[in-house]
């Protein structure tokens, strides 16, 4: 279990209910956390514009990726090879091996609140506070579909062609993509 609190990432063993690591390094409040699909890595983002990638087994910081105004969302690709960082108005993709930037989605339609890759890794779903849900080709980072709502989005869950979007009006919307 990964829990952020202030500037730290707390890792817990769910079976023993014991905290295994306290990961320190962020200089301001942590705003986003995600596990890699393998469960061996975690990523955190925060107000100081950094993304940190952690080794869950040791609590060691593997990469510090920076240069953002403020990180509002993080997610891993299904193969664990990329980490995505959402900011005020863009999503930046990084290679997990060396921390190098590999692409940018610059026209998200507002402040990024949630990022969710498709199960096969072919698409990336990005939800904004302003009510834009963009579907992006994860390889080319080109927008393939854009849905707009009168209310802002706060979180996403994707499974196949179904998208659950938690909205600021307190409702959860179900979108089904027709192909």
């Amino acid at each position: 279990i990964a829990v952020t609190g202030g500037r730290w990432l707390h890792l817990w063993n769910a079976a023993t209910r014991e905290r295994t690591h306290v990961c320190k390094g962020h200089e301001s409040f942590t705003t986003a956390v995600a596990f890699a699909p393998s469960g061996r890595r975690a990523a955190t983002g925060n107000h100081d514009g950094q993304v940190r990638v952690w080794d869950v087994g040791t609590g060691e910081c593997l990469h510090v990726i920076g240069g953002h105004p403020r990180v509002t969302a993080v997610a891993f690709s299904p193969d664990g090879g990329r980490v995505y960082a959402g900011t005020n108005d863009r999503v930046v993709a990084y290679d997990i091996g060396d921390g190098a930037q590999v692409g940018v989605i610059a026209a998200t339609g507002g402040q990024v609140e949630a990022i969710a890759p498709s199960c096969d890794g072919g698409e990336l779903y990005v939800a904004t506070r302003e009510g834009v849900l963009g579907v992006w080709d994860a390889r080319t980072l080109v927008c393939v579909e854009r849905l707009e709502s009168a209310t802002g989005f706060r979180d996403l869950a994707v499974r196949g062609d179904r998208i659950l979007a938690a909205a600021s009006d307190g409702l959860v919307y179900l979108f089904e993509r027709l192909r």
Side-chain angles (χ1 to χ4, degrees):
I1 300 172
V3 178
T4 59
R7 298 177 297 175
W8 302 343
L9 171 66
H10 301 264
L11 298 172
W12 296 77
N13 180 314
T16 65
R17 298 182 181 182
E18 294 180 5
R19 186 170 51 193
T20 58
H21 301 288
V22 177
C23 306
K24 299 178 182 180
H26 282 297
E27 297 175 9
S28 67
F29 290 101
T30 305
T31 55
V33 62
F35 273 113
S38 69
R40 293 191 302 262
R41 303 280 184 265
T44 53
N46 71 344
H47 280 233
D48 66 13
Q50 293 181 338
V51 173
R52 289 180 179 262
V53 178
W54 307 90
D55 182 302
V56 171
T58 66
E60 175 188 3
C61 182
L62 302 174
H63 296 292
V64 178
I65 304 164
H68 306 291
R70 180 181 151 209
V71 177
T72 55
V74 292
F76 282 91
S77 61
D79 67 1
R82 285 185 177 182
V83 64
Y84 301 100
T87 68
N88 292 339
D89 63 351
R90 64 189 58 224
V91 174
V92 184
Y94 295 96
D95 182 271
I96 226 36
D98 60 9
Q101 181 177 313
V102 294
V104 177
I105 295 172
T108 60
Q111 178 175 308
V112 176
E113 290 290 318
I115 306 167
S118 61
C119 294
D120 67 3
E123 294 175 324
L124 190 65
Y125 297 81
V126 178
T128 71
R129 177 177 285 181
E130 292 73 19
V132 176
L133 175 59
V135 183
W136 302 81
D137 182 294
R139 187 179 51 77
T140 64
L141 300 181
V142 171
C143 187
V144 295
E145 191 170 352
R146 180 179 167 115
L147 306 168
E148 294 191 30
S149 171
T151 186
F153 295 116
R154 296 291 180 243
D155 205 357
L156 287 175
V158 176
R159 186 69 173 176
D161 287 334
R162 292 183 171 189
I163 307 158
L164 287 174
S168 59
D169 62 5
L171 298 175
V172 175
Y173 293 88
L174 171 64
F175 298 97
E176 286 195 71
R177 295 194 59 213
L178 304 175
R179 298 181 197 214

